Amino acid sequence: MTEKILVTGGTGYIGSHTVVELQQAGFRVVIIDDLSNSEISVVDSIEKITGIRPETEVFDLTDAAKTDDFFNRHHNIKASIHFAASKAVGESVEKPLQYYRNNLVSLMNLLECQIKYDIRNIVFSSSCTVYGQPGKLPVTENTPRLEAESPYGNTKRISEDILRDTVKANSGIQAIALRYFNPVGAHPSALIGELPRGVPGNLVPFITQTAAGIREQLSVFGNDYDTPDGSAIRDFINVVDLAKAHVVAIERLLTGRNRTAFEIFNLGTGNGVSVLELLNVFEKVTGVKLNYKIVGRRPGDIEKIWADTSYANLELGWKAEKSLEETLLSAWQWEKAIRGIQ
């Protein structure tokens, strides 16, 4: 395939892995990123992996004029994958207006331009945070969305509503929202991976930075949850498995295999793993002992969640394949690569 796909936030963690998978599947990719939480050097790494340098433009999608100018210059884009968003749960509690402005305005500007320039397909990066703390596990796509536990989660919920209403009002526009569980790991080449700025907001980069001696100690937020070991439970999915699902979603839209104009899929492994279990697996596969302590619960965190992925398995023909051991080892190889650790 030579169709041209726009990837917003394409130098970010999930975005960069998806660009790699798209290019390896034969798509042409153009990236928009404001580099607020990523580095332009990621484009070099994508080129090293795939042999193809994706076209990249640096600007903020909340700027409507720049967004329109981009689409005015770029023709033949067949679909977009929209990753560009602020994504830290804890930070969103502290800076709600920043999250609402960045995550919602960027999506609205993108949709307005897609309608104006007749680009009919969009895959949206959603999140399991839309389920809040569900009453029944595992969650399916039909599990009721609850009031979000954080402004970040609420922006994903509102974004899904914006997409649903936009699709209803504009015949020909098609959208797929992919609800991620917890993406972890890195590309097996160790050329791209999760590279947070400052103190990591996600667990696995904090684990690998602690293992590398960058962080003195790892905090485990809460050991009094109603779970087997008291720590929170999540569904940790390998980022490469996740990226491959985006390629399948794009192919589904472009070939008209979607059943409705707006579809939703859970992307996870279907397995719940506690934070303490994750630490144990990391120590086992790397041989590195982690210095961690139990601290109080973190605002915005939920107790436990994992996915029922049967709908995505059936409809998309996609399934998470990589083991937790392989995934955590890849994260450690990536950390060692960027720190120059042998």
Side-chain angles (χ1 to χ4, degrees):
M1 292 185 182
T2 56
E3 283 92 343
K4 190 174 180 182
I5 309 298
L6 166 64
V7 180
T8 74
T11 63
Y13 175 42
I14 306 170
S16 61
H17 286 81
T18 301
V19 171
V20 165
E21 296 301 322
L22 284 166
Q23 291 191 162
Q24 289 180 332
F27 290 99
R28 287 185 298 145
V29 175
V30 57
I31 292 171
I32 297 173
D33 206 303
D34 68 355
L35 303 179
S36 60
N37 195 36
S38 60
E39 306 295 337
I40 194 64
S41 60
V42 170
V43 179
D44 299 329
S45 299
I46 292 169
E47 184 179 16
K48 280 181 188 170
I49 295 168
T50 65
I52 303 163
R53 188 172 188 84
E55 192 177 350
T56 305
E57 295 209 13
V58 180
F59 68 92
D60 187 340
L61 279 164
T62 61
D63 186 323
K66 285 184 178 175
T67 305
D68 187 82
D69 174 65
F70 170 87
F71 281 97
N72 192 39
R73 290 182 289 105
H74 285 267
H75 304 289
N76 301 319
I77 292 173
K78 297 298 182 186
S80 69
I81 304 179
H82 184 49
F83 293 106
S86 301
K87 62 173 188 175
V89 169
E91 183 184 54
S92 78
V93 174
E94 296 163 10
K95 302 174 180 176
L97 292 178
Q98 175 184 313
Y99 272 67
Y100 286 116
R101 182 182 303 110
N102 195 36
N103 295 5
L104 300 181
V105 173
S106 62
L107 174 62
M108 289 188 285
N109 285 345
L110 177 63
L111 286 170
E112 284 178 345
C113 284
Q114 288 203 202
I115 292 164
K116 178 178 177 180
Y117 293 94
D118 195 30
I119 299 163
R120 296 167 175 250
N121 304 298
I122 180 168
V123 174
F124 177 66
S125 163
S126 192
S127 166
C128 67
T129 54
V130 301
Y131 297 118
Q133 178 56 69
K136 185 181 175 185
L137 289 165
V139 293
T140 73
E141 289 80 359
N142 295 318
T143 295
R145 297 183 310 168
L146 301 179
E147 187 173 338
E149 298 285 331
S150 68
Y152 164 74
N154 205 28
T155 65
K156 292 300 185 184
R157 178 183 168 136
I158 295 168
S159 292
E160 286 188 0
D161 292 341
I162 290 170
L163 278 168
R164 182 180 285 107
D165 292 341
T166 302
V167 165
K168 260 188 208 169
N170 296 273
S171 64
I173 297 286
Q174 308 177 114
I176 292 177
L178 300 175
R179 291 176 177 164
Y180 312 157
F181 282 69
N182 287 67
V184 290
H187 194 268
S189 66
L191 287 168
I192 54 173
E194 191 165 8
L195 188 61
R197 288 191 175 166
V199 179
N202 292 338
L203 177 59
V204 170
F206 217 113
I207 289 173
T208 58
Q209 287 188 17
T210 304
I214 310 299
R215 306 283 160 198
E216 185 182 340
Q217 195 171 53
L218 170 71
S219 295
V220 174
F221 296 106
N223 68 339
D224 57 350
Y225 287 113
D226 181 21
T227 62
D229 62 19
S231 66
I233 290 176
R234 297 289 183 270
D235 186 338
F236 297 99
I237 177 172
N238 187 289
V239 67
V240 176
D241 282 337
L242 189 68
K244 288 177 177 175
H246 292 76
V247 179
V248 176
I250 285 290
E251 290 170 343
R252 184 178 177 86
L253 290 173
L254 294 181
T255 56
R257 293 199 303 267
N258 46 312
R259 290 173 179 265
T260 59
F262 180 58
E263 295 185 307
I264 293 167
F265 296 98
N266 284 339
L267 297 184
T269 65
N271 299 311
V273 176
S274 78
V275 172
L276 290 175
E277 279 182 284
L278 190 79
L279 301 188
N280 290 335
V281 173
F282 181 85
E283 290 182 337
K284 181 179 154 192
V285 297
T286 64
V288 180
K289 193 76 179 156
L290 291 167
N291 179 30
Y292 67 88
K293 67 173 179 178
I294 309 293
V295 298
R297 298 182 184 188
R298 184 172 59 175
D301 278 349
I302 61 168
E303 181 171 270
K304 52 191 170 186
I305 191 166
W306 62 92
D308 179 333
T309 63
S310 55
Y311 186 59
N313 301 157
L314 178 69
E315 279 292 315
L316 296 179
W318 167 91
K319 190 177 182 186
E321 295 175 346
K322 295 182 184 290
S323 69
L324 186 59
E325 287 81 2
E326 182 183 355
T327 299
L328 291 176
L329 195 55
S330 72
W332 179 229
Q333 300 292 1
W334 159 247
E335 187 71 48
K336 289 197 293 182
I338 58 177
R339 305 293 174 193
I341 299 170
Q342 295 302 313

